[in-house]
Protein backbone atom coordinates (compact mmCIF):
# COMPACT_ATOMS: atom_id res chain seq x y z
CA UNK A 1 0.00 0.00 0.00
CA UNK A 2 1.19 3.47 -0.87
CA UNK A 3 3.70 2.23 -3.45
CA UNK A 4 3.90 4.14 -6.74
CA UNK A 5 4.73 2.19 -9.89
CA UNK A 6 6.37 4.04 -12.77
CA UNK A 7 6.56 2.94 -16.38
CA UNK A 8 10.12 4.15 -16.91
CA UNK A 9 13.76 3.60 -16.05
CA UNK A 10 13.73 6.66 -13.79
CA UNK A 11 11.12 9.28 -12.88
CA UNK A 12 11.09 12.64 -11.05
CA UNK A 13 9.27 12.82 -7.72
CA UNK A 14 8.75 15.83 -5.45
CA UNK A 15 8.72 15.75 -1.65
CA UNK A 16 7.21 18.55 0.46
CA UNK A 17 7.24 19.67 4.07
CA UNK A 18 5.56 22.39 6.12
CA UNK A 19 7.81 21.75 9.12
CA UNK A 20 11.28 22.86 8.10
CA UNK A 21 12.89 22.45 11.51
CA UNK A 22 11.69 18.88 11.93
CA UNK A 23 12.66 17.98 8.38
CA UNK A 24 16.13 19.47 8.83
CA UNK A 25 16.60 17.49 12.03
CA UNK A 26 15.98 14.23 10.18
CA UNK A 27 12.35 13.56 11.08
CA UNK A 28 11.05 11.67 8.06
CA UNK A 29 7.46 12.08 9.28
CA UNK A 30 7.77 15.82 8.64
CA UNK A 31 7.67 15.06 4.92
CA UNK A 32 4.53 14.39 2.90
CA UNK A 33 4.53 11.44 0.52
CA UNK A 34 6.44 12.12 -2.72
CA UNK A 35 4.42 12.97 -5.81
CA UNK A 36 5.65 11.72 -9.21
CA UNK A 37 5.73 14.76 -11.49
CA UNK A 38 7.27 13.27 -14.65
CA UNK A 39 4.16 11.69 -16.17
CA UNK A 40 3.68 10.39 -19.72
CA UNK A 41 6.72 8.16 -19.38
CA UNK A 42 7.89 5.36 -21.65
CA UNK A 43 9.78 2.25 -20.46
CA UNK A 44 13.06 3.60 -21.87
CA UNK A 45 12.68 7.09 -20.35
CA UNK A 46 15.41 8.11 -17.93
CA UNK A 47 14.36 11.42 -16.34
CA UNK A 48 17.35 13.14 -14.79
CA UNK A 49 19.27 16.42 -14.27
CA UNK A 50 16.23 18.01 -12.65
CA UNK A 51 15.76 21.39 -11.00
CA UNK A 52 12.92 22.82 -8.90
CA UNK A 53 12.00 26.41 -8.10
CA UNK A 54 9.19 28.20 -6.26
CA UNK A 55 8.03 31.67 -7.36
CA UNK A 56 9.06 33.36 -4.11
CA UNK A 57 8.49 37.10 -4.71
CA UNK A 58 5.18 38.44 -3.37
CA UNK A 59 4.96 41.01 -6.19
CA UNK A 60 4.59 38.20 -8.75
CA UNK A 61 1.11 37.35 -9.98
CA UNK A 62 2.15 33.69 -9.83
CA UNK A 63 3.56 33.90 -6.31
CA UNK A 64 3.62 30.44 -4.73
CA UNK A 65 3.62 28.46 -7.96
CA UNK A 66 6.25 25.73 -8.15
CA UNK A 67 8.14 24.83 -11.31
CA UNK A 68 10.16 21.78 -12.29
CA UNK A 69 12.38 20.99 -15.29
CA UNK A 70 14.49 18.02 -16.30
CA UNK A 71 15.96 16.16 -19.27
CA UNK A 72 13.76 13.30 -20.43
CA UNK A 73 16.53 11.06 -21.73
CA UNK A 74 15.10 8.58 -24.22
CA UNK A 75 15.94 6.14 -26.98
CA UNK A 76 15.50 8.61 -29.88
CA UNK A 77 15.39 12.10 -28.38
CA UNK A 78 16.06 13.83 -25.06
CA UNK A 79 13.96 16.97 -24.58
CA UNK A 80 14.12 19.56 -21.83
CA UNK A 81 10.66 19.36 -20.27
CA UNK A 82 8.81 21.58 -17.79
CA UNK A 83 5.99 21.03 -15.33
CA UNK A 84 4.17 23.40 -12.95
CA UNK A 85 2.14 23.11 -9.78
CA UNK A 86 -0.26 25.72 -8.44
CA UNK A 87 -1.24 23.79 -5.31
CA UNK A 88 2.04 23.45 -3.49
CA UNK A 89 3.21 20.34 -5.30
CA UNK A 90 0.14 18.17 -4.76
CA UNK A 91 -0.55 17.95 -8.49
CA UNK A 92 1.61 18.69 -11.53
CA UNK A 93 0.81 19.65 -15.09
CA UNK A 94 1.60 17.32 -17.96
CA UNK A 95 5.22 17.86 -19.02
CA UNK A 96 5.67 20.59 -21.62
CA UNK A 97 8.56 20.27 -24.07
CA UNK A 98 10.69 23.42 -23.90
CA UNK A 99 13.48 22.19 -26.18
CA UNK A 100 13.90 18.98 -28.15
CA UNK A 101 17.07 17.45 -29.51
CA UNK A 102 18.36 14.18 -30.90
CA UNK A 103 21.27 13.12 -28.68
CA UNK A 104 24.45 11.26 -29.47
CA UNK A 105 27.05 9.81 -27.15
CA UNK A 106 28.62 13.25 -26.66
CA UNK A 107 25.80 15.70 -27.49
CA UNK A 108 22.39 16.65 -26.14
CA UNK A 109 20.58 18.99 -23.72
CA UNK A 110 21.22 18.71 -19.98
CA UNK A 111 21.54 20.53 -16.65
CA UNK A 112 18.40 22.68 -16.71
CA UNK A 113 17.69 25.30 -14.03
CA UNK A 114 14.78 27.67 -13.30
CA UNK A 115 14.38 31.17 -11.86
CA UNK A 116 11.54 33.72 -11.70
CA UNK A 117 11.69 37.52 -11.56
CA UNK A 118 9.67 39.84 -9.30
CA UNK A 119 6.85 39.99 -11.85
CA UNK A 120 6.58 36.22 -12.33
CA UNK A 121 8.46 35.78 -15.61
CA UNK A 122 9.97 32.30 -15.77
CA UNK A 123 13.49 31.64 -17.03
CA UNK A 124 14.50 28.08 -17.93
CA UNK A 125 18.15 27.64 -18.86
CA UNK A 126 20.16 24.56 -19.81
CA UNK A 127 23.24 23.44 -21.70
CA UNK A 128 23.14 22.07 -25.22
CA UNK A 129 26.28 19.92 -25.34
CA UNK A 130 27.87 19.64 -28.79
CA UNK A 131 31.24 18.11 -27.88
CA UNK A 132 33.78 18.23 -29.50
CA UNK A 133 32.26 21.27 -31.21
CA UNK A 134 30.97 24.48 -29.68
CA UNK A 135 28.33 23.96 -26.99
CA UNK A 136 25.78 26.55 -25.88
CA UNK A 137 24.03 27.70 -22.73
CA UNK A 138 20.39 28.03 -23.76
CA UNK A 139 17.37 29.95 -22.45
CA UNK A 140 13.59 29.97 -22.89
CA UNK A 141 11.12 32.28 -21.08
CA UNK A 142 7.46 32.30 -20.13
CA UNK A 143 5.28 35.25 -19.10
CA UNK A 144 2.08 33.31 -18.41
CA UNK A 145 3.08 31.03 -15.55
CA UNK A 146 4.62 28.33 -17.71
CA UNK A 147 1.80 27.66 -20.18
CA UNK A 148 3.80 28.84 -23.20
CA UNK A 149 7.53 29.47 -23.65
CA UNK A 150 9.23 31.62 -26.26
CA UNK A 151 11.65 30.11 -28.74
CA UNK A 152 14.85 28.77 -27.15
CA UNK A 153 17.99 30.72 -27.94
CA UNK A 154 21.68 30.57 -27.14
CA UNK A 155 22.91 33.02 -24.49
CA UNK A 156 26.55 31.86 -24.22
CA UNK A 157 29.11 29.90 -26.22
CA UNK A 158 30.81 27.08 -24.32
CA UNK A 159 33.89 24.95 -24.69
CA UNK A 160 33.46 21.75 -22.73
CA UNK A 161 35.89 21.10 -19.90
CA UNK A 162 37.72 17.85 -19.36
CA UNK A 163 39.08 15.21 -21.66
CA UNK A 164 37.67 11.94 -22.97
CA UNK A 165 38.75 9.39 -20.38
CA UNK A 166 40.25 6.24 -21.93
CA UNK A 167 38.98 4.03 -19.10
CA UNK A 168 35.39 5.13 -19.61
CA UNK A 169 35.88 4.93 -23.37
CA UNK A 170 37.06 1.32 -23.06
CA UNK A 171 33.71 0.63 -21.36
CA UNK A 172 31.84 2.12 -24.34
CA UNK A 173 31.12 5.37 -22.47
CA UNK A 174 32.93 8.39 -24.01
CA UNK A 175 32.80 10.38 -20.78
CA UNK A 176 34.75 13.54 -20.03
CA UNK A 177 36.76 13.58 -16.81
CA UNK A 178 38.26 16.64 -15.16
CA UNK A 179 41.35 15.34 -13.40
CA UNK A 180 42.75 12.35 -15.26
CA UNK A 181 42.57 8.70 -16.26
CA UNK A 182 39.68 6.93 -14.48
CA UNK A 183 38.86 10.34 -13.08
CA UNK A 184 35.88 12.37 -11.94
CA UNK A 185 33.21 12.99 -14.56
CA UNK A 186 32.59 16.59 -15.54
CA UNK A 187 30.50 18.88 -17.71
CA UNK A 188 30.05 22.57 -18.48
CA UNK A 189 26.46 22.71 -17.28
CA UNK A 190 25.42 26.14 -16.07
CA UNK A 191 23.96 27.51 -12.85
CA UNK A 192 21.82 30.67 -12.67
CA UNK A 193 20.32 32.98 -10.07
CA UNK A 194 18.25 36.19 -10.04
CA UNK A 195 17.90 39.23 -7.76
CA UNK A 196 14.09 39.13 -7.59
CA UNK A 197 13.70 40.88 -4.23
CA UNK A 198 12.29 37.83 -2.44
CA UNK A 199 10.28 37.62 -0.33
CA UNK A 200 8.61 41.01 -0.83
CA UNK A 201 9.90 41.69 -4.34
CA UNK A 202 10.05 45.41 -3.67
CA UNK A 203 13.84 45.92 -3.93
CA UNK A 204 14.37 43.64 -6.94
CA UNK A 205 16.84 44.54 -9.66
CA UNK A 206 15.89 41.32 -11.49
CA UNK A 207 19.52 40.91 -12.51
CA UNK A 208 20.31 37.44 -13.80
CA UNK A 209 23.73 35.92 -13.13
CA UNK A 210 25.06 32.77 -14.78
CA UNK A 211 28.21 30.67 -14.44
CA UNK A 212 29.79 27.59 -15.99
CA UNK A 213 33.20 25.95 -16.25
CA UNK A 214 34.78 26.62 -19.63
CA UNK A 215 37.88 25.36 -21.47
CA UNK A 216 38.19 27.91 -24.27
CA UNK A 217 41.85 28.32 -23.29
CA UNK A 218 42.47 24.59 -23.36
CA UNK A 219 42.81 21.67 -20.98
CA UNK A 220 44.34 22.65 -17.61
CA UNK A 221 43.43 26.31 -18.20
CA UNK A 222 39.75 26.14 -17.29
CA UNK A 223 37.78 29.16 -16.09
CA UNK A 224 34.64 29.77 -14.05
CA UNK A 225 32.98 32.21 -16.43
CA UNK A 226 30.27 34.61 -15.25
CA UNK A 227 27.73 36.55 -17.32
CA UNK A 228 24.93 38.88 -16.19
CA UNK A 229 21.78 40.41 -17.63
CA UNK A 230 19.51 43.20 -16.37
CA UNK A 231 16.95 43.12 -19.20
CA UNK A 232 15.35 39.69 -18.77
CA UNK A 233 18.10 37.92 -20.67
CA UNK A 234 17.79 39.93 -23.89
CA UNK A 235 21.40 41.07 -23.56
CA UNK A 236 24.22 39.59 -21.50
CA UNK A 237 27.57 40.95 -20.37
CA UNK A 238 30.73 39.48 -21.84
CA UNK A 239 31.90 36.36 -19.97
CA UNK A 240 34.39 37.17 -17.21
CA UNK A 241 36.64 34.75 -15.32
CA UNK A 242 35.80 34.55 -11.61
CA UNK A 243 38.15 31.84 -10.32
CA UNK A 244 41.22 32.50 -8.18
CA UNK A 245 44.67 32.35 -9.77
CA UNK A 246 45.99 28.80 -9.98
CA UNK A 247 42.57 27.12 -9.67
CA UNK A 248 41.09 24.77 -12.21
CA UNK A 249 37.41 25.35 -11.32
CA UNK A 250 34.91 22.53 -11.78
CA UNK A 251 31.11 22.69 -11.35
CA UNK A 252 30.87 26.36 -10.33
CA UNK A 253 27.64 27.58 -8.71
CA UNK A 254 26.46 31.17 -8.37
CA UNK A 255 23.95 33.19 -6.35
CA UNK A 256 23.02 36.87 -6.14
CA UNK A 257 21.46 38.55 -3.11
CA UNK A 258 17.73 39.32 -3.50
CA UNK A 259 18.48 43.05 -3.69
CA UNK A 260 21.20 42.55 -6.30
CA UNK A 261 24.09 43.85 -4.18
CA UNK A 262 26.35 40.80 -3.70
CA UNK A 263 27.25 37.79 -5.82
CA UNK A 264 28.61 34.54 -4.38
CA UNK A 265 30.44 31.76 -6.22
CA UNK A 266 31.58 28.29 -5.18
CA UNK A 267 33.42 25.57 -7.08
CA UNK A 268 35.77 22.62 -6.70
CA UNK A 269 39.33 23.81 -7.33
CA UNK A 270 41.61 21.17 -8.83
CA UNK A 271 45.21 22.06 -8.11
CA UNK A 272 47.05 19.78 -10.55
CA UNK A 273 46.83 19.21 -14.32
CA UNK A 274 44.95 16.34 -15.97
CA UNK A 275 46.82 13.18 -14.99
CA UNK A 276 47.85 10.47 -17.45
CA UNK A 277 48.27 7.93 -14.65
CA UNK A 278 46.45 7.07 -11.44
CA UNK A 279 49.83 6.97 -9.65
CA UNK A 280 49.94 10.80 -9.41
CA UNK A 281 48.03 12.76 -6.76
CA UNK A 282 44.96 14.81 -7.71
CA UNK A 283 44.58 17.53 -5.06
CA UNK A 284 41.32 19.47 -4.89
CA UNK A 285 39.47 21.74 -2.45
CA UNK A 286 36.25 23.70 -2.19
CA UNK A 287 36.40 27.46 -2.75
CA UNK A 288 33.90 30.24 -1.96
CA UNK A 289 34.26 33.72 -3.48
CA UNK A 290 32.16 36.88 -3.66
CA UNK A 291 31.93 40.16 -5.56
CA UNK A 292 30.01 43.40 -5.16
CA UNK A 293 27.56 44.53 -7.86
CA UNK A 294 27.69 48.18 -8.91
CA UNK A 295 24.65 50.38 -9.36
CA UNK A 296 25.00 49.89 -13.11
CA UNK A 297 24.87 46.11 -12.71
CA UNK A 298 28.57 45.56 -13.34
CA UNK A 299 30.01 42.76 -11.22
CA UNK A 300 33.26 43.76 -9.50
CA UNK A 301 36.34 41.71 -8.80
CA UNK A 302 35.81 38.45 -6.92
CA UNK A 303 37.55 37.91 -3.60
CA UNK A 304 38.06 34.59 -1.84
CA UNK A 305 36.03 34.07 1.34
CA UNK A 306 37.02 30.48 2.07
CA UNK A 307 39.30 27.70 0.87
CA UNK A 308 38.51 24.26 2.22
CA UNK A 309 40.91 21.53 3.24
CA UNK A 310 42.75 19.82 0.39
CA UNK A 311 41.99 16.19 -0.42
CA UNK A 312 42.85 13.73 -3.20
CA UNK A 313 40.09 12.99 -5.73
CA UNK A 314 41.48 9.47 -6.23
CA UNK A 315 39.91 8.60 -2.88
CA UNK A 316 36.41 8.89 -4.38
CA UNK A 317 34.68 6.15 -6.34
CA UNK A 318 31.82 5.20 -8.58
CA UNK A 319 29.78 2.24 -7.39
CA UNK A 320 31.37 0.05 -10.07
CA UNK A 321 34.85 1.03 -8.75
CA UNK A 322 36.25 1.72 -12.23
CA UNK A 323 36.64 5.44 -11.67
CA UNK A 324 36.34 8.36 -9.32
CA UNK A 325 33.02 10.04 -8.62
CA UNK A 326 32.28 13.53 -7.31
CA UNK A 327 29.17 14.73 -9.13
CA UNK A 328 27.63 18.08 -9.97
CA UNK A 329 26.46 18.82 -6.43
CA UNK A 330 27.87 22.29 -5.77
CA UNK A 331 25.33 24.98 -4.87
CA UNK A 332 25.17 28.43 -3.30
CA UNK A 333 22.28 30.58 -2.05
CA UNK A 334 22.32 34.25 -1.03
CA UNK A 335 20.44 36.49 1.38
CA UNK A 336 20.85 40.23 1.77
CA UNK A 337 23.61 39.72 4.35
CA UNK A 338 25.38 36.41 3.62
CA UNK A 339 25.79 33.48 1.28
CA UNK A 340 25.57 29.76 2.03
CA UNK A 341 27.62 27.39 -0.10
CA UNK A 342 27.98 23.61 -0.34
CA UNK A 343 30.53 21.69 -2.40
CA UNK A 344 31.96 18.23 -3.07
CA UNK A 345 34.84 17.54 -0.71
CA UNK A 346 37.39 14.70 -0.43
CA UNK A 347 39.38 15.78 2.62
CA UNK A 348 38.19 12.64 4.43
CA UNK A 349 38.66 10.25 1.51
CA UNK A 350 41.66 7.91 1.66
CA UNK A 351 43.52 6.91 -1.48
CA UNK A 352 43.66 3.16 -2.15
CA UNK A 353 46.85 2.04 -3.95
CA UNK A 354 45.28 -1.28 -4.96
CA UNK A 355 42.37 0.58 -6.54
CA UNK A 356 44.71 2.93 -8.38
CA UNK A 357 46.58 -0.04 -9.86
CA UNK A 358 43.32 -1.73 -10.83
CA UNK A 359 41.96 1.41 -12.52
CA UNK A 360 45.18 1.92 -14.48
CA UNK A 361 45.23 -1.73 -15.53
CA UNK A 362 41.88 -1.36 -17.27
CA UNK A 363 43.82 0.22 -20.12
CA UNK A 364 45.80 -2.98 -20.64
CA UNK A 365 44.90 -6.25 -22.33
CA UNK A 366 44.93 -8.03 -18.94
CA UNK A 367 43.23 -5.91 -16.26
CA UNK A 368 43.91 -6.80 -12.64
CA UNK A 369 41.14 -8.40 -10.57
CA UNK A 370 38.78 -5.86 -9.03
CA UNK A 371 39.87 -5.11 -5.44
CA UNK A 372 37.51 -5.38 -2.50
CA UNK A 373 37.22 -1.98 -0.75
CA UNK A 374 36.48 -3.71 2.56
CA UNK A 375 39.69 -5.75 2.60
CA UNK A 376 42.08 -4.18 0.07
CA UNK A 377 41.63 -0.47 0.79
CA UNK A 378 41.84 1.93 3.75
CA UNK A 379 38.61 2.26 5.70
CA UNK A 380 38.06 5.81 4.44
CA UNK A 381 38.38 4.97 0.75
CA UNK A 382 35.31 6.35 -1.06
CA UNK A 383 34.51 8.71 1.80
CA UNK A 384 33.64 11.81 -0.25
CA UNK A 385 31.43 14.39 1.45
CA UNK A 386 29.37 17.50 0.96
CA UNK A 387 30.90 20.33 2.99
CA UNK A 388 29.55 23.83 3.35
CA UNK A 389 29.40 27.04 5.29
CA UNK A 390 27.85 30.47 5.68
CA UNK A 391 29.88 33.48 4.59
CA UNK A 392 29.56 37.25 4.75
CA UNK A 393 30.99 39.43 1.98
CA UNK A 394 34.47 40.89 2.61
CA UNK A 395 33.26 44.28 3.81
CA UNK A 396 31.22 42.47 6.47
CA UNK A 397 34.09 40.37 7.78
CA UNK A 398 34.40 37.38 5.45
CA UNK A 399 33.82 33.92 6.96
CA UNK A 400 30.88 33.70 9.32
CA UNK A 401 30.45 30.01 9.91
CA UNK A 402 32.48 27.63 7.74
CA UNK A 403 31.72 23.94 8.28
Amino acid sequence: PGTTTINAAEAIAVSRTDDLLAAASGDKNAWQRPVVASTQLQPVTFSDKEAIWADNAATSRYFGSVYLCWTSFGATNSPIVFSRSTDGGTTWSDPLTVFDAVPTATTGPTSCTIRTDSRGKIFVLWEQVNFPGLSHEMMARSTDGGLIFDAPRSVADVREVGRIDPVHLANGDPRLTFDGVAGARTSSGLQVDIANGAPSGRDATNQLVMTWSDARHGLNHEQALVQASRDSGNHWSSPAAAEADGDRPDFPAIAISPNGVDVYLTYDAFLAPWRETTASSRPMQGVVRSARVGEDGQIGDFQTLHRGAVGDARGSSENNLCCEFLGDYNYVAATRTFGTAVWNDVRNAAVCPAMNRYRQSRLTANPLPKPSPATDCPAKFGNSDIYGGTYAPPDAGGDKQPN
Side-chain angles (χ1 to χ4, degrees), residues 50-383:
E50 72 283 358
I52 193 168
W53 180 258
D55 188 325
N56 57 355
T59 49
S60 166
R61 57 178 171 151
Y62 303 109
F63 179 55
S65 292
V66 187
Y67 305 121
L68 185 66
C69 69
W70 65 93
T71 304
S72 187
F73 293 102
T76 58
N77 66 336
S78 296
I80 297 289
V81 293
F82 173 91
S83 184
R84 63 192 182 94
S85 175
T86 58
D87 57 11
T90 299
T91 60
W92 292 86
S93 66
D94 288 338
L96 172 69
T97 296
V98 176
F99 178 77
D100 207 351
V102 177
T104 70
T106 58
T107 68
T110 187
S111 302
C112 72
T113 189
I114 305 172
R115 289 297 184 268
T116 52
D117 70 12
S118 62
R119 297 175 292 272
K121 180 180 287 188
I122 304 169
F123 303 86
V124 176
L125 294 100
W126 66 95
E127 184 191 11
Q128 170 57 36
V129 180
N130 294 320
F131 184 82
L134 189 66
S135 299
H136 300 280
E137 309 296 10
M138 306 287 293
M139 180 185 71
R141 300 166 295 190
S142 174
T143 59
D144 60 4
L147 296 176
I148 299 174
F149 281 84
D150 64 7
R153 65 187 185 92
S154 172
V155 294
D157 294 336
V158 179
R159 285 296 180 183
E160 293 294 321
V161 294
R163 177 175 162 184
I164 293 290
D165 177 24
V167 172
H168 280 103
L169 188 61
N171 292 338
D173 180 13
R175 187 181 294 272
L176 296 165
T177 58
F178 199 83
D179 57 341
V181 168
R185 73 180 190 184
T186 190
S187 75
S188 290
L190 78 169
Q191 287 211 35
V192 175
D193 200 22
I194 191 168
N196 67 358
S200 71
R202 289 191 294 270
D203 59 355
T205 66
N206 289 318
Q207 178 160 341
L208 286 158
V209 291
M210 171 174 61
T211 188
W212 71 95
S213 185
D214 193 280
R216 62 190 59 192
H217 295 299
L219 184 70
N220 301 321
H221 300 283
E222 298 82 5
Q223 297 174 298
L225 295 182
V226 172
Q227 288 187 185
S229 173
R230 271 204 173 182
D231 62 358
S232 295
N234 292 321
H235 303 90
W236 292 81
S237 63
S238 298
E243 76 283 356
D245 290 344
D247 288 348
R248 296 179 58 217
D250 197 22
F251 293 127
I254 198 167
I256 187 170
S257 58
N259 58 359
V261 173
D262 293 296
V263 173
Y264 298 86
L265 183 80
T266 191
Y267 56 81
D268 281 320
F270 283 80
L271 308 176
W274 202 92
R275 300 296 201 185
E276 301 285 351
T277 171
T278 60
S280 301
S281 65
R282 301 177 183 184
M284 59 163 282
Q285 62 183 163
V287 176
V288 182
R289 311 196 83 204
S290 76
R292 182 56 56 94
V293 181
E295 293 184 2
D296 59 355
Q298 294 293 315
I299 299 174
D301 294 335
F302 279 83
Q303 301 182 53
T304 298
L305 303 180
H306 178 74
R307 299 191 74 91
V310 176
D312 192 324
R314 294 177 301 164
S316 67
S317 185
E318 291 185 5
N319 291 335
N320 61 13
L321 303 181
C322 86
C323 309
E324 302 163 18
F325 181 83
L326 295 173
D328 46 350
Y329 308 133
N330 298 342
Y331 296 96
V332 61
T335 73
R336 288 167 176 78
T337 56
F338 62 87
T340 297
V342 294
W343 61 87
N344 291 283
D345 197 289
V346 289
R347 69 184 68 182
N348 297 316
V351 173
C352 176
M355 197 65 66
N356 290 339
R357 291 190 294 270
Y358 163 71
R359 290 171 173 174
Q360 190 74 40
S361 77
R362 292 175 67 87
L363 297 177
T364 70
N366 298 295
L368 296 171
K370 183 182 294 186
S372 170
T375 58
D376 299 327
C377 294
K380 290 187 176 181
F381 171 73
N383 190 17

Side-chain angles (χ1 to χ4, degrees), residues 304-305 390-401:
T304 298
L305 303 180
T390 299
Y391 308 92
D395 58 0
D399 276 11
K400 288 185 66 178
Q401 189 182 348

